[in-house]
Amino acid sequence: MSKAYGVIHRFSEDVDLTYDIRAIASDLVGDSSTPLPSSKSQGKKWSKEIRYRLAHWVATEIVPQLTRCINQKGLSATVRAEDGKVFVDYSSLTKGTGYVASTVILEFGARSTGEPSEPRAIHCDAATHLQGVVFPTATPKVMRAERTFWEKTTAIHVFCAQGAFRGGDRFARHWHDVTRLDIAGFGDAAIADKALAKAVADHKSIFFAEKAASGEIIDYHAAVAGGLQLVPAADALSALVIDYQHMVEDRLFLDDVEPFETLLDRCHKIQLKANSASVQGSTPKK
C-alpha cells in the first residue's frame, strides 16, 4: 500500500507476498474457477499441505537466493526462515523503543490467488531525495487496494469480536491503513464491490475461521453485509490506544500524527458507511 499505491505513509517492516494457490496446490484445486475447499474440514487438510509445501519452498528457494545476494553485495545482514516467513536481520544505525525490530519480514501466504491484482510501478523512497543516484525499479503484480481494504477491515472486525489480536503486537497499523485507503477513495470502491466483499468473506470463512470472545463463530458474511465493526470496546480499545501510542513513540509515521480520537472517529464513519451501503443494497425480504 505504501510503495504500490502511495496511500499509506508509515514505516513498514514487513512485505506480504502471495504464492498463488493455483500454482502451489494445482493438484488440490483442480480446474475450479473458485479455488476453495468444499468444507472447513477439507480446508484444514488443504492448509496443512500448503503450509508444508510453502515452508519447504521458502527454505530451499528463497533463503539461499537472498543469502547469496547479501553475500555478493557484502551487506551486514543474515537470513532465516520460520515456516512461511523469511526474516532478514540487519544492523540498525539507531535504536528506538524496541517496538520495531531491526528485521525485514517477508511473509508468504499460499491459500489465495492474490486476485484481483494489477501491475504497479515501485520506486525507492530515497529516489526523490537523491536525484543524482540511480535506484532500481520494479513492476510487480500487486493485490488491488480494494481487496486489501476488505482484508484489513475484516481483520479489525475479528479483533473487535475477540478483544485481542492473534498476530501479537503492532496491530494499530491496520486502523491507520484503513483510514488512508478510504481517504484515497479505495474504501468507497471496495464497499461498492459486493462480489469482492463476498469473495473475501468466502475465503476467510474457510481458511481463517475465528471465534468471538463469547465462543460463537464469527460470521464474515454478516460483517461485509451490514454488520462490520471497526471500533472496539472496553479493554480491547485500551489495548489499541497503547499500541497506537507505541507507533507514535517509535516515529513510524512519515506524516504528522493525528490524535487517536481522530483516527477512531474516521474508522467509525467508515463502519457506518460500509454498513449503510450494505443495507441499502440488500434485496428486500418477501
Side-chain angles (χ1 to χ4, degrees), residues 60-74 79:
T60 59
E61 296 290 337
I62 301 302
V63 170
Q65 287 187 41
L66 287 176
T67 300
R68 283 196 297 271
C69 289
I70 288 173
N71 291 339
Q72 289 172 359
K73 299 293 184 180
V79 184

Side-chain angles (χ1 to χ4, degrees), residues 13-285:
E13 79 280 15
D14 62 336
V15 180
D16 295 322
L17 303 113
T18 300
Y19 192 140
D20 195 328
I21 187 174
R22 296 168 296 188
I24 198 172
S26 59
D27 55 322
L28 301 178
V29 173
D31 298 326
S32 174
S33 58
T34 305
L36 286 176
S38 59
S39 64
K40 291 182 180 179
S41 60
Q42 186 182 56
K44 291 180 180 179
K45 293 179 181 179
W46 282 26
S47 293
K48 182 178 180 180
E49 178 61 23
I50 289 171
R51 286 195 190 99
Y52 171 78
R53 296 181 188 184
L54 184 64
H56 180 266
W57 177 74
V58 164
T60 59
E61 296 290 337
I62 301 302
V63 170
Q65 287 187 41
L66 287 176
T67 300
R68 283 196 297 271
C69 289
I70 288 173
N71 291 339
Q72 289 172 359
K73 299 293 184 180
L75 302 176
S76 177
T78 58
V79 184
R80 54 190 171 90
E82 291 182 13
D83 298 324
K85 294 182 180 181
V86 174
F87 298 83
V88 181
D89 303 312
Y90 60 91
S91 300
S92 178
L93 297 178
T94 60
K95 292 185 178 180
T97 65
Y99 182 72
V100 176
S102 301
T103 303
V104 174
I105 306 172
L106 306 181
E107 187 167 357
F108 291 87
R111 286 180 287 178
S112 76
T113 62
E115 301 294 344
S117 66
E118 62 181 349
R120 301 286 297 189
I122 305 296
H123 303 277
C124 179
D125 289 345
T128 57
H129 305 285
L130 300 171
Q131 297 183 10
V133 180
V134 177
F135 291 89
T137 61
T139 308
K141 186 167 70 171
V142 179
M143 181 184 289
R144 286 187 60 86
E146 292 86 352
R147 172 149 190 169
T148 301
F149 175 86
W150 280 120
E151 293 284 352
K152 285 184 175 290
T153 53
T154 48
I156 291 173
H157 181 82
V158 171
F159 174 88
C160 292
Q162 294 180 334
F165 198 78
R166 178 171 292 189
D169 56 6
R170 302 197 306 274
F171 50 82
R173 67 186 188 275
H174 296 302
W175 279 257
H176 168 80
D177 294 354
V178 164
T179 63
R180 273 23 188 200
L181 286 168
D182 185 58
I183 291 171
F186 293 112
D188 289 341
I191 291 169
D193 194 337
K194 308 301 181 187
L196 176 59
K198 181 180 181 300
V200 172
D202 288 344
H203 183 263
K204 286 200 168 186
S205 295
I206 292 292
F207 286 121
F208 298 96
E210 296 282 357
K211 290 184 179 180
S214 61
E216 297 178 353
I217 297 295
I218 294 175
D219 189 341
Y220 288 107
H221 291 93
V224 302
L228 186 67
Q229 183 179 356
L230 301 181
V231 180
D235 293 342
L237 181 59
S238 298
L240 181 59
V241 172
I242 294 172
D243 195 69
Y244 185 75
Q245 187 58 38
H246 286 163
M247 288 185 67
V248 174
E249 292 172 354
D250 228 26
R251 293 185 287 183
L252 266 65
F253 296 108
L254 305 182
D255 296 331
D256 292 336
V257 179
E258 63 184 349
F260 179 80
E261 293 75 14
T262 302
L263 175 70
L264 207 63
D265 181 63
R266 291 184 188 275
C267 289
H268 184 244
K269 290 178 179 177
I270 295 170
Q271 174 184 305
L272 293 176
K273 179 169 58 175
N275 292 339
S276 175
S278 296
V279 172
Q280 291 174 7
S282 62
T283 303
K285 295 181 180 179

